[in-house]
């Protein structure tokens, strides 16, 4: 990231659903904020699909260009992924090279998320996974983009105008780096598999959900541990496992990376081993920010991502969190029973409303987890005599 931390964010809109476009832009601005970048203006254009050359059409592009120049904006962030050629064209349009122009940085959605993950990853496994995804993202974009990314990463920028030969050397280096990272990941995974085998006699429960819904807060509450929970996207990138005992039955509870719409596929790919924690769980606790205006869309994104990683069939408890933020009005009373029925119809058998902050209904949640864990525990230990909760 450079010194100029202002940005404009750019997204395509749907004329029929302006509120959804706004919500997407809110999320993008929140992602930018998480990366330390302040949004000073939003640009949208109602298009079915991005312009193949410059994402925006000609007129809008001109408007964006003028604004960026006039306000000396540091970053332009696009809500979708840009093709390598769109990126090159945008660089030319927005970034006319001159010695006194520090240059505007162009982010697409993947690059922004990758940057946040790079900032957040702590363990060797998470760091290796993110670096792998980053190199895979970089490889097809190694042209002018290289100098662009070098600058972004605090490089000297002296490679400007790199010739084909240098680019070819760079490509070779990146390929080498990719295979080194893959090897390293394999080794780490081997250790994790051994660890996991030793845990096969214990029931495993995983917290899943959209980012920023309260997974880590619930994890802390249920396991009395302290994991960083904050009002930022992707506060958790590493996965953490804790032993929890409810009513004499022990189980392992894991907290892991949150999901988001349009999660870069390289990241899902390289996070496969982290996501094993989810895939191999006996019970999933799907946490939802019930106070978020588009929580149903977020539920759909999570359900789809779970299906993508092969975790669709795992028994799930749907936890609708943050109910302390819901202020029912006369026109919109809060009928929790009706809401429960609604989610049951959507296929969620176990539904519960809680507030992790106000500790509301946490005992009810524990009881629900206990009932699910007990089923699996009795399969491993048929002679165990369960108590009623
Ligand atoms: N008002 C309210 N805020 C909550 C509640 N639960 C969590 N939060 C807040 O929501 C924000 C996100 O919480 P986290 O626990 O970090 O969420 P997460 O799902 O782990 O998020 P990521 O790791 O970023 O994916 C924090 O600011 C929490 O304090 C709740 O019940 N009510
Ligand atoms: Mg978290």
């Amino acid at each position: 990231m450079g010194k100029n931390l202002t940005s404009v964010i750019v997204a395509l809109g749907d004329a029929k659903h302006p509120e959804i476009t706004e919500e997407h832009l809110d999320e993008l601005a929140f992602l930018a904020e998480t990366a330390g970048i302040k949004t000073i203006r939003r640009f949208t254009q109602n298009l079915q699909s991005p312009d193949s050359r410059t994402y925006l059409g000609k007129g809008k592009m001109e408007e964006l260009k003028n604004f960026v120049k006039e306000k000396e904006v540091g970053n332009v962030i696009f809500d979708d992924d840009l093709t390598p050629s769109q990126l090159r064209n945008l660089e030319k349009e927005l970034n006319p090279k001159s010695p006194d122009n520090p240059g505007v940085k162009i982010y697409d959605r993947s690059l922004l998320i990758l940057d946040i993950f790079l900032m957040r990853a702590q363990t060797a496994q998470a760091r290796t996974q993110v670096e792998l995804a980053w190199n895979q993202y970089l490889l097809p974009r190694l042209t002018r983009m290289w100098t662009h990314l070098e600058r972004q990463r605090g490089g000297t920028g002296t490679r400007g105008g790199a010739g084909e030969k240098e680019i070819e050397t760079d490509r070779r280096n990146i390929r080498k780096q990719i295979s080194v990272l893959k090897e390293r990941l394999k080794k780490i995974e081997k250790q994790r598999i051994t660890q996991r085998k030793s845990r096969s006699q214990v029931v495993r429960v995983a917290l899943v959900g959209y980012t920023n819904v309260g997974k880590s807060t619930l994890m802390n509450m249920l396991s009395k541990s302290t994991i960083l929970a904050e009002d930022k996207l992707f506060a958790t990138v590493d996965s953490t496992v804790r032993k929890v005992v409810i009513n004499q039955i022990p189980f392992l509870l894991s907290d892991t990376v949150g999901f988001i719409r349009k999660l870069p596929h390289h990241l899902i790919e390289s996070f496969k081993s982290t996501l094993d924690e989810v895939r191999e769980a006996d019970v999933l606790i799907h946490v939802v920010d019930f106070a978020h205006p588009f929580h149903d869309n977020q539920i759909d994104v999570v359900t789809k991502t779970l299906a993508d990683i092969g975790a669709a069939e795992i028994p799930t408890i749907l936890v609708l969190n943050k109910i302390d933020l819901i202020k029912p009005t006369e026109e919109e009373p809060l009928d929790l029973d009706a809401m429960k029925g609604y989610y049951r119809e959507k296929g969620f058998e176990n539904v519960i409303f809680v507030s992790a902050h106000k500790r509301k209904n946490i005992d009810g949640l524990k009881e629900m987890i206990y009932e699910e864990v007990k089923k699996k525990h009795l399969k491993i230990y048929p002679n165990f005599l369960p108590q009623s909760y």
Side-chain angles (χ1 to χ4, degrees), residues 211-217 229-230 234-236 321-322 324 356-357:
T211 179
N212 207 43
V213 295
K215 297 179 296 297
S216 298
T217 309
E230 53 178 335
F234 301 114
T236 313
N321 188 30
K322 305 199 190 180
D324 56 292
H357 258 196

Side-chain angles (χ1 to χ4, degrees), residues 82-141:
L82 299 169
T83 62
S85 91
Q86 277 173 331
L87 192 75
R88 268 197 305 280
N89 295 333
L90 284 166
E91 278 255 325
K92 270 188 222 138
E93 292 274 354
L94 293 169
N95 221 3
K97 282 222 154 155
S98 72
D100 57 339
N101 178 4
V104 53
K105 276 155 230 129
I106 299 167
Y107 279 90
D108 64 4
R109 194 176 170 85
S110 278
L111 186 60
L112 184 59
I113 294 178
L114 278 167
D115 251 26
I116 296 172
F117 270 56
L118 266 181
M119 277 161 38
R120 300 260 161 186
Q122 302 266 334
T123 60
Q125 185 184 25
R127 284 212 74 82
T128 315
Q129 287 168 330
V130 182
E131 274 170 33
L132 176 60
W134 203 82
N135 278 288
Q136 282 167 334
Y137 172 86
L138 187 58
L139 190 59
R141 291 171 176 80

